[in-house]
Amino acid sequence: MTDSQYRLHSSEDLALWLEERKRDLKVHLERIPFRECSPWYYEETEGVIRNPKGTFFQITGLRQVKNNGEVNEQPIIIQSEIGFLGILCCKIQGVWHYLMQAKIEPGNVNKVQISPTIQATKSNFTQQHGGAKPAFLDDFLNMSADHVLVDQIQSEQSSRFLGKRNRNVILTTDHPVEEPPTHRWMTLSQIKEFMRQDNVVNMDTRTVLSCIPYVLLGSDGDVPFRNRLYFHKTAVSMDRQTIVTIYHQINNYKMFERGSIRKVPLFELKDWKMEHGEFCHKKGYDFKLIFCDIAIEGREVSRWRQPLFAATGVATFGLICCDDAGILKFLVRMKPEIGCFDGAEIGPSVQQEATGDRQEDCVSRLFWRNLKEKKGVLADVLLSEEGGRFYQEQNRNVILFIEKGELETLPEGYVWSDYGTLNILIQTNNCLNIQLRNLLSILEI
């Protein structure tokens, strides 16, 4: 039985449900000066913004000195605890369904977005905020290995967090649990339908679904492409040399090129200042630090204050693919980032921050030219970053199809990889960065 033959809910009904959740939830977010953001304060001894309990997260300064002597300084979020990003799934009438949540976060562009069954930091589910326990928490705290489809520790945004990781989990259930008003069962294709719309499916859903070990599941699993034959040819074509090349590049960087990184007091960052109640870069940067008074109905806690990172523009993440003798291949590259848990991970073809210097090589030039001409565009959608720490940050996610001959020679650091190899590498913690995982999650070939 195929997905199109049975869906517990129609896509139209799911869209109405989302709109009802948005309409029924009242949200108030007001930017305030840092001095009014109690209980958050600047702790001068350590040089961090924190709350009195030291829970949830802290914000400090980070200084990176590269091998060539170049120095980069910026604020960074310290959140060492590992949270749950978990989805329950069940076969209903022979079709896999996933229990998704219509969740509101203070920084969401679209107020309510399709989120995992549970999305909670350790401080959340240990109730450090004094609020209610997240729904379905016990399913994940007491999970049995017999029901685990995915259980991965994966990285988060390494340009904003220092070594931040979350536990990405998908659990199978023998029978569908009853849907509370906040949750609905959806098929994979329905979730991907919503991914084609700007800012509807949140980052946490995308990273969890990217971890599904499609190439290991055989006929019992979902298929992430519309063209099943194309998927199976691509998925079984894992190439040992590709894996060797990828690890060779990453390991060389970790061993020889990483430079030094150390925490420094936030308010001692050379080119950063507090201005108009915000902590921002004197000459402009990819983000700034703002402070907010927030009230949201239907949350574990309905009123609080906190800092948020606010992007100063829209970044672009691009994945180039081509057909190579009937096998779909993707162009990926080794990508160092200042807060990366292990220094560098494998990223997409293009990972361009809004204010950053554009990478100048044949790959980048081809990408931007083809995108401008709308040539070979398979996906082009604005998708939000995590709204619990970032204020209305949305990034452009693009997948481009090219003819293999359009890139005769690859610059250093790039490698063509089939889907099967990337899907296997995702099963290894901290190998593919979150930008690449998110792009792979929206694939529909």
Side-chain angles (χ1 to χ4, degrees):
M1 180 175 288
T2 64
D3 187 319
S4 60
Q5 290 173 302
Y6 184 81
R7 294 175 170 185
L8 187 62
H9 303 286
S10 71
S11 296
E12 293 75 18
D13 285 343
L14 292 173
L16 286 173
W17 166 69
L18 283 173
E19 288 304 315
E20 288 171 0
R21 298 300 298 172
K22 290 178 190 177
R23 186 186 63 233
D24 294 343
L25 285 171
K26 292 183 173 58
V27 182
H28 168 81
L29 186 148
E30 179 185 357
R31 293 195 188 192
I32 57 176
F34 176 50
R35 64 178 180 275
E36 297 178 11
C37 198
S38 174
W40 294 83
Y41 70 102
Y42 185 68
E43 204 287 315
E44 293 188 1
T45 303
E46 296 182 25
V48 302
I49 290 177
R50 53 169 291 173
N51 63 47
K53 293 182 179 180
T55 50
F56 295 102
F57 63 97
Q58 300 179 0
I59 300 172
T60 191
L62 199 65
R63 177 178 294 138
Q64 178 186 43
V65 181
K66 299 181 180 179
N67 282 1
N68 62 5
E70 180 184 341
V71 178
N72 181 38
E73 292 185 340
Q74 67 166 71
I76 201 89
I77 302 171
I78 308 294
Q79 189 174 339
S80 55
E81 62 185 35
I82 295 174
F84 271 125
L85 304 178
I87 297 177
L88 294 177
C89 71
C90 180
K91 268 195 173 181
I92 304 174
Q93 295 291 319
V95 177
W96 284 108
H97 284 67
Y98 302 82
L99 186 62
M100 308 308 296
Q101 179 181 184
K103 185 172 177 62
I104 188 166
E105 292 285 2
N108 278 359
V109 173
N110 218 7
K111 194 160 80 169
V112 171
Q113 296 188 9
I114 296 173
S115 308
T117 312
I118 182 174
Q119 178 183 318
T121 66
K122 191 174 181 180
S123 292
N124 284 139
F125 64 73
T126 56
Q127 298 172 273
Q128 295 296 318
H129 48 38
K133 188 168 64 173
F136 301 105
L137 174 63
D138 289 341
D139 292 274
F140 294 90
L141 289 177
N142 304 315
M143 60 181 163
S144 163
D146 293 339
H147 290 277
V148 169
L149 180 65
V150 170
D151 189 359
Q152 291 294 125
I153 303 291
Q154 295 287 5
S155 60
E156 300 253 328
Q157 295 88 344
S158 296
S159 62
R160 311 291 199 265
F161 289 102
L162 181 60
K164 175 71 171 71
R165 300 180 298 165
N166 270 321
R167 192 170 181 180
N168 291 239
V169 178
I170 300 180
L171 293 180
T172 63
T173 65
D174 296 326
H175 305 284
V177 300
E178 184 177 344
E179 299 167 328
T182 52
H183 291 69
R184 288 290 184 272
W185 288 103
M186 302 182 188
T187 65
L188 182 64
S189 68
Q190 285 177 319
I191 299 170
K192 284 181 178 279
E193 284 178 36
F194 286 114
M195 284 183 186
R196 294 197 293 270
Q197 303 174 35
D198 291 349
N199 301 309
V200 174
V201 178
N202 82 351
M203 179 275 297
D204 299 302
T205 294
R206 302 192 307 267
T207 181
V208 175
L209 293 179
S210 75
C211 295
I212 297 175
Y214 297 108
V215 300
L216 303 177
L217 294 177
S219 59
D220 191 47
D222 259 324
V223 174
F225 299 174
R226 284 193 295 260
N227 188 326
R228 287 175 174 261
L229 179 61
Y230 206 177
F231 165 74
H232 288 298
K233 289 181 69 176
T234 298
V236 300
S237 62
M238 289 174 283
D239 178 38
R240 175 186 175 276
Q241 189 56 48
T242 301
I243 295 177
V244 169
T245 301
I246 285 173
Y247 275 110
H248 176 72
Q249 292 174 354
I250 290 179
N251 292 339
N252 272 348
Y253 176 82
K254 293 175 184 177
M255 190 170 186
F256 301 115
E257 300 294 336
R258 190 170 183 177
S260 65
I261 295 175
R262 68 183 182 92
K263 290 184 280 188
V264 296
L266 180 66
F267 288 172
E268 293 181 15
L269 294 177
K270 181 180 178 181
D271 292 321
W272 292 77
K273 62 179 179 178
M274 192 71 74
E275 185 175 64
H276 306 304
E278 302 173 344
F279 192 61
C280 54
H281 195 275
K282 296 175 183 177
K283 301 175 184 178
Y285 205 72
D286 301 322
F287 57 84
K288 59 185 176 180
L289 184 57
I290 66 172
F291 307 93
C292 299
D293 182 38
I294 302 161
I296 300 177
E297 290 185 355
R299 296 266 303 194
E300 295 90 353
V301 172
S302 60
R303 184 74 180 264
W304 72 98
R305 299 184 185 96
Q306 72 168 85
L308 287 170
F309 275 36
T312 54
V314 176
T316 299
F317 308 137
L319 186 58
I320 294 173
C321 59
C322 76
D323 184 281
D324 186 359
I327 295 173
L328 189 66
K329 291 192 174 180
F330 302 89
L331 188 60
V332 297
R333 65 190 291 248
M334 189 268 295
K335 178 64 177 175
E337 290 189 271
I338 190 170
C340 186
F341 181 82
D342 214 8
E345 295 179 317
I346 296 302
S349 319
V350 172
Q351 186 172 323
Q352 181 66 52
E353 290 279 5
T355 65
D357 295 332
R358 183 175 290 190
Q359 63 191 64
E360 284 296 337
D361 55 32
C362 61
V363 172
S364 178
R365 288 189 291 271
L366 174 69
F367 173 82
W368 291 108
R369 183 175 66 248
N370 285 15
L371 182 57
K372 182 179 180 180
E373 297 173 358
K374 296 182 170 53
K375 180 182 176 183
V377 178
L378 300 180
D380 186 359
V381 61
L382 289 174
L383 295 171
S384 296
E385 297 305 306
E386 200 274 317
R389 300 292 176 263
F390 308 134
Y391 176 72
Q392 297 195 351
E393 180 169 349
Q394 55 181 346
N395 296 311
R396 190 178 184 184
N397 289 256
V398 178
I399 301 178
L400 281 181
F401 185 88
I402 68 168
E403 298 299 324
K404 186 182 178 185
E406 291 185 69
L407 282 173
E408 295 288 352
T409 304
L410 295 181
E412 184 178 357
Y414 292 90
V415 61
W416 286 108
S417 174
D418 56 83
Y419 181 83
T421 298
L422 295 177
N423 190 237
I424 285 295
L425 288 174
I426 291 178
Q427 311 312 309
T428 303
N429 297 348
N430 310 306
C431 189
L432 271 61
N433 74 8
I434 196 165
Q435 291 84 2
L436 178 53
R437 298 198 310 273
N438 277 205
L439 282 162
L440 291 172
S441 75
I442 69 175
L443 269 174
E444 283 192 292
I445 304 297

